[in-house]
């Protein structure tokens, strides 16, 4: 029988942390019950594991009592890390015992899955270096700054590489749990849990939920000026050559500095800023697709639709129908 450890972190957690712990425990427990109802032997033992007898959350509003201390677990097969509070560095520093234990277990063959901002704990242990990773889109810039060796992919809902799983933000951890249920049980059990808990199965992207603001916490003044120019001239069709010459920087050097500062190529940044403005227009106005397209500097409907779908995972029409009841 395999063992799953759901981590109960110490301090710097929030109600989202509790949601991850409770949600994962409930779904895995139900998967166990379903498996036994089919006349099969129980596959997994699921335990909450921590370093204290009780852990308080949200100023004592809720208390979680782990089943066991991590030192009592000789071997586990899967470790689940819940989301953390937004003071990530303090959260990581306060959980060093848990980190050391996780690294040891991983080296001995355990798999590890992080939910939402739990990826910060994984990355701080060096376990994500050179690997793909996702986290909450709102934490992406901070994550890139702290962990430049990690291949962050904030558009992805789930990553799966070398026994390490990560997922996007908020309650999308439920999709990760379904993914793991399928891995550890089978497809039919995952479908059953999907139906019982009414969670969309096989979601691949968190693109539609991203609110793009652009990485501004860097010290490159030229890039900041370029960002400001892009954002104040949405209606224009701006080329990267035009931008680089405007700031008297060679194209190759301009690209290099822009990527280093923002995590995006200049073309990606242009597209994301324009599509964010288009999304807002579709959410709040009755403007047609053509009207919005012209407002953000596109004249080719096909090109506009392709870029919009690439960034949001939906067509402009689908997006407007989803987020603007009046227009729909």
């Amino acid at each position: 029988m395999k063992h799953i450890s759901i981590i109960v972190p110490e301090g710097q957690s929030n109600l989202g942390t509790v949601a991850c712990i409770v949600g994962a425990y409930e779904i895995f427990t139900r998967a166990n019950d379903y498996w036994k109802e089919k006349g099969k032997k129980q596959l997994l033992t699921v335990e909450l594991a921590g370093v204290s007898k009780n852990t308080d959350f949200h100023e004592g509003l809720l208390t979680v009592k782990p089943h066991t201390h991590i030192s009592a677990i000789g071997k586990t097969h899967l470790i689940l890390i819940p989301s953390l509070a937004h003071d990530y560095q303090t959260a990581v520093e306060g959980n060093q015992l848990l980190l050391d234990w996780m690294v040891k277990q991983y080296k001995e063959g355990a798999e590890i899955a992080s939910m939402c901002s739990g990826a910060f704990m994984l990355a701080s242990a060096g376990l994500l270096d050179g690997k793909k990773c996702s986290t909450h889109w709102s934490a992406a810039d901070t994550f890139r700054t702290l962990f430049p060796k990690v291949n962050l992919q904030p558009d992805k809902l789930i990553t799966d590489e070398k026994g390490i799983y990560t997922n996007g933000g908020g309650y999308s951890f439920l999709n990760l749990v379904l993914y793991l249920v399928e891995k550890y049980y089978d497809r039919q059990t995952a479908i059953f849990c999907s139906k019982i808990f009414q969670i969309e199965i096989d979601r691949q992207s968190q693109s539609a939920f991203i609110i793009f603001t652009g990485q501004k916490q860097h010290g490159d003044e030229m890039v900041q000026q370029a960002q400001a120019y892009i954002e104040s001239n949405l209606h224009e069709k701006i080329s990267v050559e035009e931008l680089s010459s405007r700031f008297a920087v060679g194209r190759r050097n301009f690209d290099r500095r822009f990527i280093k500062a923002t995590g995006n190529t200049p073309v990606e940044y242009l597209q994301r800023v324009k599509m964010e403005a288009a999304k807002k227009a579709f959410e709040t106005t009755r403007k047609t697709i053509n009207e919005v397209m012209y407002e953000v500097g596109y004249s080719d409907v096909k090109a506009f639709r392709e870029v919009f779908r690439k960034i949001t995972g939906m067509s402009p029409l689908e997006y407007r129908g989803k987020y603007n009841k009046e227009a729909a």
Side-chain angles (χ1 to χ4, degrees):
M1 189 185 296
K2 291 190 174 180
H3 184 273
I4 294 181
S5 303
I6 301 174
I7 294 299
V8 180
E10 287 291 298
Q12 289 305 317
S13 45
N14 54 27
L15 292 178
T17 313
V18 180
C20 289
I21 293 168
V22 173
Y25 184 76
E26 184 176 19
I27 293 171
F28 272 113
T29 301
R30 190 65 187 89
N32 258 342
D33 292 343
Y34 176 73
W35 195 253
K36 288 188 285 186
E37 286 162 12
K38 293 200 299 181
K40 300 184 180 182
K41 288 184 179 179
Q42 183 173 324
L43 278 184
L44 302 173
T45 299
V46 187
E47 287 189 313
L48 307 189
V51 294
S52 300
K53 288 185 177 180
N54 297 289
T55 302
D56 288 336
F57 293 90
H58 207 67
E59 298 178 348
L61 177 66
L62 297 168
T63 300
V64 176
K65 183 180 179 181
H67 292 110
T68 187
H69 193 281
I70 54 170
S71 62
I73 301 172
K75 180 173 178 57
T76 192
H77 297 87
L78 175 65
I79 299 167
L80 296 178
I81 306 172
S83 65
L84 303 172
H86 287 189
D87 186 355
Y88 306 116
Q89 285 171 297
T90 307
V92 168
E93 288 163 9
N95 286 287
Q96 196 58 51
L97 272 176
L98 285 168
L99 276 173
D100 294 343
W101 176 78
M102 284 191 295
V103 171
K104 179 177 179 290
Q105 289 289 340
Y106 181 69
K107 287 178 179 175
E108 292 174 359
E111 296 190 318
I112 306 180
S114 69
M115 310 179 206
C116 189
S117 52
F120 281 78
M121 190 181 283
L122 256 184
S124 69
L127 294 176
L128 286 173
D129 287 356
K131 296 186 183 75
K132 294 175 186 172
C133 166
S134 186
T135 189
H136 198 295
W137 56 261
S138 68
D141 292 340
T142 305
F143 190 96
R144 277 197 195 95
T145 303
L146 291 174
F147 309 110
K149 293 180 182 177
V150 180
N151 180 10
L152 185 65
Q153 301 192 342
D155 291 344
K156 292 275 188 185
L157 193 73
I158 295 169
T159 66
D160 174 351
E161 189 173 359
K162 295 181 180 176
I164 289 184
Y165 310 89
T166 68
N167 97 281
Y171 284 72
S172 71
F173 78 85
L174 295 168
N175 299 98
L176 173 64
V177 177
L178 282 186
Y179 183 84
L180 293 169
V181 165
E182 182 169 355
K183 282 254 177 180
Y184 278 77
Y185 291 90
D186 58 14
R187 177 70 174 177
Q188 201 53 49
T189 306
I191 289 171
F192 174 78
C193 290
S194 166
K195 290 179 177 179
I196 286 292
F197 295 103
Q198 300 189 36
I199 307 162
E200 288 289 343
I201 200 165
D202 293 336
R203 268 187 59 207
Q204 301 294 322
S205 172
Q206 62 175 344
S207 297
F209 300 96
I210 293 174
I211 301 170
F212 185 75
T213 55
Q215 161 67 298
K216 306 284 174 65
Q217 305 304 312
H218 57 80
D220 194 322
E221 192 177 336
M222 182 276 291
V223 175
Q224 287 174 340
Q225 289 175 1
Q227 288 174 283
Y229 181 82
I230 290 168
E231 290 165 16
S232 59
N233 291 276
L234 286 176
H235 59 285
E236 291 186 16
K237 190 172 183 178
I238 305 168
S239 71
V240 180
E241 287 78 11
E242 178 191 335
L243 269 178
S244 59
S245 62
R246 173 176 285 275
F247 296 100
V249 179
R251 170 67 193 268
R252 183 175 292 180
N253 191 30
F254 182 80
D255 282 0
R256 182 186 60 77
R257 286 173 64 178
F258 205 98
I259 293 167
K260 184 181 178 184
T262 69
N264 296 114
T265 67
V267 170
E268 287 169 344
Y269 196 89
L270 273 161
Q271 290 177 341
R272 286 186 174 276
V273 168
K274 286 174 179 288
M275 293 308 115
E276 192 60 37
K279 282 159 62 181
K280 283 284 186 292
F282 288 134
E283 290 167 17
T284 58
T285 73
R286 289 172 173 261
K287 289 174 181 173
T288 66
I289 289 168
N290 279 5
E291 285 174 323
V292 172
M293 175 186 77
Y294 292 131
E295 279 185 1
V296 296
Y298 280 79
S299 54
D300 182 336
V301 177
K302 186 170 180 287
F304 174 71
R305 282 184 175 144
E306 283 177 358
V307 174
F308 193 90
R309 183 178 285 280
K310 182 181 79 173
I311 287 173
T312 67
M314 291 185 244
S315 72
L317 205 59
E318 287 169 336
Y319 190 91
R320 189 176 63 181
K322 190 177 182 72
Y323 292 107
N324 191 330
K325 285 185 179 179
E326 287 186 13

